[in-house]
Amino acid sequence: MDNRIKSHRLLIHVLTLFATLIASMATTRAGSIEPITGAAFDSLLARQHADLQASLRELFPESEGYHVTGPLDPLMEDHLAGAETFRAPRVICPDLASLQAAIARAKSHSAVKRVREALTKPLREAPEGFRGALILWLDREIPVVLVTIAQTRWLIWAHDLMVGTHLAQDGKRTRPYARAVSDYLYAIDLGLPDPALKSAVEFGLPEAVDLYATDPPYVIEGYENYKSALHAHAAIRADFADGILAFLPTDSLREALVANAESCAYPNKEAPAFQEEMRKFQERGGDMRGIQTLTREGLDTLAAGEYFFAVGINGRIRFGRELLREEVERVERETGRKVPRANHAFLFPGEPVLTAGAFFVERNPAPRITLVNTHSGHYFYSNVSPTIREDIALRSDRYLLTIGHFFRALEAAGIPGDSIMVSKM
C-alpha cells in the first residue's frame, strides 16, 4: 500500500483542513457532548497535574487495582458547590476495602500533608453526599480525590446535576436527593443485596435527574442497519490513502500523524447511559481490575484477540478485552447467566478522551499489535446522537486522524508502533 502514500505536504494539508473544521465548532467545556477545542482544551491539558498523577501512581499502583486519572471537570466554575472536588485528580479504588487501605496509606506517607475522609461524616469542602477522601500533597494546594467505583458514579451524577441542569443552586431540593443517591451507591460498596433507590420525583425533582436515565431511542433502527451504515463508509478518503479500507503507515507518515494530532478532546456522547451500563456490569460480577493501562511489560502478557482502548488527556492508553457480541450471546444462552461487559466509557470514567477504538494483538510467538482502528460508539459513532449519520458520512475520516494520539502514547510507553495497520472500523 506504500504506493498510495503521497507527499507529507498533502498530509499536512488534510490535517490543517481537519484543524480548521474542528476549530469552527463552538469551543466548549467539559459536560457538553461537543468536542473540546481551543482555549478550553489548553486549560484541560494544563490542569491535569501530570507530575502529581505520576507521584500518585507510585503511591497507589495499578498492580493493586488502583486507577490514577485526571479531574472529572478541571474547568468547573468556582461558584458551584464542591468545585475543587470535581477539579481534583482522582484515585479510583476497585472496592471499599481498597479505599480504606488507600486512606491508611496516605495518612502514613511523608508527602501527604492532610487526609480528610467522608465515609461516615460529610466534609465542608466537598459536595453534599460525597463519600470518599480528600488528601493534600505537601507542595500542593489542590486536593486529590480517593473514591471507589461506586462513588465515582456518584461524582459523575452529581457533576451532571450541577452543570447540566438549572438546579445547581436549588440546594433545598438537590441536597437530600444527592444524599439518597450516595447512600444507595454506598450500599453497593457495602455489598448489600438489592439496595433501593428512590426516584428524583419523590424529592420534588424532575425525572430527568434520576440516576438511571430513560434510554433514548436509536437513530438508526436495528443493529444490522447500524453496522451497515458504518461499513458503507469504511473506505478511507484522505490524500495519503484514498478509497482503501486500511493502510500501513511508513515511519515518516506515522511521525507526521503523531506530530499533527489535533488538540481536541471528545466527551462521551452516551454519558446518560453510563450509570445503567455500570449497574449491569457490577450486578453481573464485573471486575474493573480487568481494565488496565497499556505498558511495554503488560503487552507481553496479553492473549491474542481484540481490545477496546482510549487515550486519555494524560496521554496514557487504557484498555479492556473486547467480548464479541455473538460469543456473549452464546455463553448467556448456554449458561443462563448474563455476562458483564465493559466498554469505552469505563476507561476514563466521566472524562473526555483524545481518541478511542480497538487494537488487535497477535502472538507469533511474541505478542504484538497488528491492527488499530478508531471505531468507538461512545465517543465517535453513538447511535443515540442526532449527528450519527453526519458522524459516519462526514466526520469518520477526521476521527481516523486522531490515531496520531495512539501512536504517540505507544511511543511514550516504549512500545513499537511499526507494522500496525490502521483502519476506521
Side-chain angles (χ1 to χ4, degrees):
M1 296 182 186
D2 284 353
N3 61 337
R4 316 241 9 192
I5 307 301
K6 298 186 179 180
S7 72
H8 292 157
R9 182 175 300 173
L10 290 174
L11 172 62
I12 300 303
H13 170 74
V14 73
L15 290 171
T16 302
L17 175 62
F18 177 44
T20 302
L21 290 167
I22 286 293
S24 68
M25 301 178 184
T27 298
T28 56
R29 60 179 309 286
S32 167
I33 63 169
E34 294 297 325
I36 300 170
T37 63
F41 179 84
D42 293 339
S43 294
L44 193 67
L45 191 63
R47 299 178 187 181
Q48 290 300 302
H49 310 291
D51 56 339
L52 178 55
Q53 286 193 46
S55 297
L56 290 169
R57 284 193 293 271
E58 292 182 6
L59 182 57
F60 305 108
E62 191 169 274
S63 60
E64 297 180 23
Y66 297 107
H67 171 33
V68 175
T69 188
L72 185 59
D73 184 357
L75 309 180
M76 193 166 185
E77 299 164 359
D78 286 327
H79 67 87
L80 295 174
E84 279 299 307
T85 306
F86 297 102
R87 292 197 295 243
R90 295 173 291 163
V91 179
I92 302 176
C93 310
D95 51 36
L96 188 58
S98 62
L99 171 60
Q100 292 167 331
I103 292 171
R105 185 177 301 181
K107 287 180 177 178
S108 63
H109 195 273
S110 59
V112 175
K113 180 179 179 181
R114 187 180 68 191
V115 180
R116 301 284 305 280
E117 62 92 7
L119 295 179
T120 56
K121 59 182 180 180
L123 295 180
R124 183 180 60 189
E125 61 267 46
E128 187 79 22
F130 173 74
R131 268 199 171 100
L134 300 177
I135 68 175
L136 199 64
W137 225 248
L138 276 176
D139 60 346
R140 299 278 179 162
E141 289 305 318
I142 58 168
V144 173
V145 171
L146 308 184
V147 282
T148 62
I149 301 295
Q151 288 305 308
T152 296
R153 293 174 56 189
W154 183 86
L155 278 175
I156 292 171
W157 171 83
H159 172 266
D160 292 344
L161 178 69
M162 290 180 182
V163 305
T165 73
H166 63 282
L167 299 169
Q169 303 303 316
D170 191 358
K172 185 176 181 180
R173 288 192 297 164
T174 59
R175 281 196 295 268
Y177 189 50
R179 289 194 296 268
V181 172
S182 181
D183 289 344
Y184 161 79
L185 291 167
Y186 190 55
I188 292 175
D189 269 335
L190 292 172
L192 300 181
D194 302 319
L197 172 64
K198 293 183 178 180
S199 70
V201 174
E202 295 177 70
F203 291 80
L205 297 171
E207 185 179 352
V209 303
D210 273 336
L211 180 66
Y212 298 113
T214 303
D215 291 337
Y218 289 130
V219 177
I220 301 174
E221 295 184 9
Y223 180 65
E224 291 303 320
N225 293 331
Y226 171 69
K227 285 203 306 183
S228 295
L230 288 169
H231 289 297
H233 293 276
I236 299 165
R237 303 294 179 184
D239 287 334
F240 57 89
D242 188 16
I244 59 177
L245 297 180
F247 66 95
L248 181 64
T250 61
D251 290 345
S252 55
L253 176 58
R254 188 174 64 254
E255 291 168 4
L257 288 168
V258 170
N260 292 280
E262 290 303 314
S263 298
C264 180
Y266 295 88
N268 178 11
K269 294 180 178 179
E270 300 183 0
F274 174 78
Q275 300 291 352
E276 184 66 35
E277 292 169 345
M278 184 59 76
R279 172 165 69 175
K280 290 179 180 178
F281 182 77
Q282 292 185 298
E283 286 179 349
R284 296 172 183 179
D287 189 347
M288 291 289 284
R289 293 176 180 87
I291 291 176
Q292 307 167 52
T293 297
L294 186 62
T295 64
R296 184 169 185 171
E297 298 76 20
L299 177 62
D300 291 339
T301 69
L302 297 185
E306 181 180 356
Y307 296 83
F308 60 92
F309 79 90
V311 179
I313 304 299
N314 59 16
R316 297 169 70 83
I317 300 171
R318 293 274 288 170
F319 72 97
R321 183 66 185 265
E322 183 65 58
L323 302 177
L324 297 179
R325 179 184 290 252
E326 296 79 7
E327 181 65 14
V328 168
E329 290 175 349
R330 182 190 66 78
V331 171
E332 291 181 345
R333 203 167 44 245
E334 293 178 357
T335 65
R337 298 181 62 183
K338 292 293 185 180
V339 175
R341 296 185 71 190
N343 59 49
H344 285 116
F346 291 19
L347 301 175
F348 294 93
E351 295 179 70
V353 301
L354 299 177
T355 189
F359 65 81
F360 296 76
V361 172
E362 291 184 4
R363 298 185 70 96
N364 191 26
R368 65 184 184 91
I369 299 173
T370 57
L371 175 66
V372 63
N373 64 43
T374 51
H375 182 191
S376 170
H378 285 83
Y379 292 100
F380 297 142
Y381 306 114
S382 167
N383 199 15
V384 298
S385 169
T387 65
I388 177 60
R389 290 187 174 88
E390 291 80 5
D391 287 331
I392 294 173
L394 303 179
R395 303 184 184 97
S396 57
D397 291 299
R398 305 208 304 264
Y399 295 148
L400 177 67
L401 294 179
T402 66
I403 204 66
H405 291 293
F406 177 79
F407 283 115
R408 176 182 291 153
L410 285 184
E411 184 179 335
I415 299 173
D418 58 321
S419 302
I420 299 178
M421 294 286 290
V422 177
S423 66
K424 288 187 195 176
M425 313 298 177

